[in-house]
Amino acid sequence: MLKSPSSCSRERSRLRCAIAVFLAGATAQAMAWEPTAPVELVVPAGTGGGADQMARFIQKVVTDHRLMRQPLSVVNKSGNSGADGLLDVKASRGDPHKLVITLSNLFTTPLATGVDFSWRDITPVKMLALDQFVLWVNAASPYGTPQQLMDALRTGAPGALRLGGTGSKQEDQLLSVLLETAASTRISYVPLKGGGDVANSLATRQVDLTVNNPIEAEKLWRERVVRPLCVFDGQPLEYRQKVSDDKSWADLPTCMSAGIPVQYLMMRGIFMAPGATPEQVAYYSEVLDKVRQVPEWKEFMIRGAFKQTTMQGPAFVDWLDKAESFHRLLMREARLLPPKAGPSASDLPARKK
């Protein structure tokens, strides 16, 4: 039986005691789980978007700081509005080497498509942050304020302005419908592959406005190619570091203060495949805590104007449950849910002859 450090004084030999303590520590360390194969981080979205950028940032930090013994790779699986990636993780039950970074399609894709997936099918690990949505126009656009854009929507021909967004019946189109409601008009929604494509489409004036995340268009704003008008949050952003034209994220008004009654934030979180053990969840949670402690994380949060909200365990599960209900309500009001199927012939009462 291994001795505790307090029993060392009763040992015949200090060397024997030292060996016993070393073996006890080695045994405890051996009991802690860690990956035994390369780890895959699935992005259920296209390249260049907010989820993809955060996943690749995490990969770089983990690699540069040697936070894991096994390599971490990022794989984009954006097909079917991200369903391909979500279903891949769901099908990997018991595989502790499969992770997924989540966004709002965790809720919107199952609701919009009826695909056999729920966030309860996978294992929550940790919410890393909440991502903002910003109303953007091209820098050459005549709209310099959100009020000017809303006036143009209200007075212009329905469908005259084009809003580029990621996918169909996802968060970008949801915001598009909410903007339509606020302006009592119609906006032409242009579905694109990912946040990177959306930002580039605005830069090349293929669309007139977008609702990109800050991290997706920050570089273009810095280069004075696009212009942010307002943020879809109830309060201004906190970051006062200058980005472009002596303006910071904190200088943006809220869209609500500009008469656009829309508020929406999106989760950036990490999940595991179903069947993960508490020890496996704890391992990745600790790795992510270490990621959040490096100086580069602070810089990434500033660049992307993230709201640094983090949670795990029961609090995270409760948040997810409420977020799902919130998205179901929003999508029903926006008429983005599929029509309910009518009763089948077998469900109908038999006709009397």
Side-chain angles (χ1 to χ4, degrees):
M1 183 176 185
L2 296 176
K3 303 291 184 179
S4 67
S6 61
S7 65
C8 290
S9 60
R10 298 191 297 273
E11 293 287 345
R12 295 181 181 178
S13 167
R14 289 186 178 182
L15 177 60
R16 183 183 299 174
C17 179
I19 293 174
V21 173
F22 171 80
L23 290 175
T27 301
Q29 186 176 14
M31 291 175 62
W33 183 88
E34 65 178 273
T36 56
V39 178
E40 182 178 287
L41 177 54
V42 175
V43 180
T47 58
D52 179 65
Q53 290 195 49
M54 180 171 280
R56 295 183 187 279
F57 172 80
I58 291 172
Q59 177 195 38
K60 186 176 187 306
V61 170
V62 168
T63 302
D64 291 350
H65 292 269
R66 299 181 181 180
L67 301 182
M68 289 170 44
R69 297 184 184 181
Q70 294 290 337
L72 176 66
S73 63
V74 174
V75 180
N76 294 82
K77 297 183 179 181
S78 60
N80 299 319
S81 298
D84 286 359
L86 298 173
L87 291 173
D88 173 60
V89 178
K90 176 184 175 180
S92 301
R93 171 172 289 276
D95 182 359
H97 304 98
K98 178 91 70 170
L99 307 175
V100 60
I101 187 166
T102 53
L103 52 151
S104 289
N105 65 4
L106 184 71
F107 311 112
T108 56
T109 292
L111 289 170
T113 65
V115 65
D116 185 19
F117 177 84
S118 163
W119 65 265
R120 298 172 184 83
D121 293 332
I122 54 180
T123 306
V125 176
K126 186 184 291 289
M127 177 195 290
L128 294 175
L130 291 173
D131 208 346
Q132 302 282 356
F133 283 80
V134 171
L135 183 58
W136 300 87
V137 294
N138 189 281
S141 168
Y143 315 122
T145 67
Q147 292 91 340
Q148 290 175 351
L149 176 60
M150 292 301 287
D151 288 344
L153 285 170
R154 292 187 179 103
T155 59
L161 292 183
R162 299 156 300 169
L163 187 150
T166 302
S168 297
K169 297 183 178 181
Q170 303 300 313
E171 58 275 1
D172 288 9
Q173 188 171 9
L174 179 58
L175 282 170
S176 175
V177 173
L178 294 175
L179 282 172
E180 287 181 330
T181 303
S184 299
T185 189
R186 185 172 61 82
I187 298 173
S188 295
Y189 182 77
V190 181
L192 299 162
K193 289 184 178 180
D197 292 334
V198 173
N200 290 330
S201 293
L202 183 62
T204 55
R205 307 194 72 173
Q206 298 177 51
V207 297
D208 302 296
L209 60 152
T210 69
V211 289
N212 265 144
N213 302 124
I215 197 71
E216 295 171 332
E218 178 265 349
K219 182 176 181 292
L220 292 172
W221 181 27
R222 193 179 297 279
E223 295 171 350
R224 302 180 183 181
V225 176
V226 300
R227 178 192 306 140
L229 298 183
C230 61
V231 59
F232 291 101
D233 197 352
Q235 56 190 16
L237 298 172
E238 63 180 277
Y239 302 104
R240 300 192 174 278
Q241 295 84 352
K242 300 303 180 184
V243 180
S244 181
D245 293 327
D246 292 328
K247 290 186 177 180
S248 68
W249 293 116
D251 293 323
L252 297 184
T254 66
C255 296
M256 295 182 71
S257 70
I260 306 174
V262 180
Q263 181 177 346
Y264 187 84
L265 292 93
M266 180 165 63
M267 170 190 60
R268 299 295 184 195
I270 300 293
F271 286 65
M272 295 180 67
T277 68
E279 292 78 15
Q280 292 164 350
V281 172
Y283 171 84
Y284 288 113
S285 180
E286 183 177 351
V287 169
L288 293 169
D289 282 341
K290 292 177 180 177
V291 169
R292 296 180 65 251
Q293 291 168 8
V294 302
E296 299 97 305
W297 177 262
K298 181 179 179 180
E299 296 169 3
F300 186 74
M301 291 291 101
I302 293 172
R303 186 161 63 89
F306 291 94
K307 180 167 286 188
Q308 298 187 53
T309 302
T310 182
M311 62 181 71
Q312 61 189 41
F316 189 19
V317 170
D318 183 58
W319 186 94
L320 290 164
D321 188 57
K322 292 177 180 177
E324 181 185 47
S325 298
F326 174 68
H327 279 85
R328 181 179 290 108
L329 174 63
L330 283 181
M331 293 188 69
R332 184 176 68 236
E333 293 300 313
R335 299 181 180 179
L336 295 180
L337 294 178
K340 292 183 178 180
S344 64
S346 60
D347 295 328
L348 296 174
R351 288 183 62 184
K352 293 183 179 179
K353 296 182 179 179

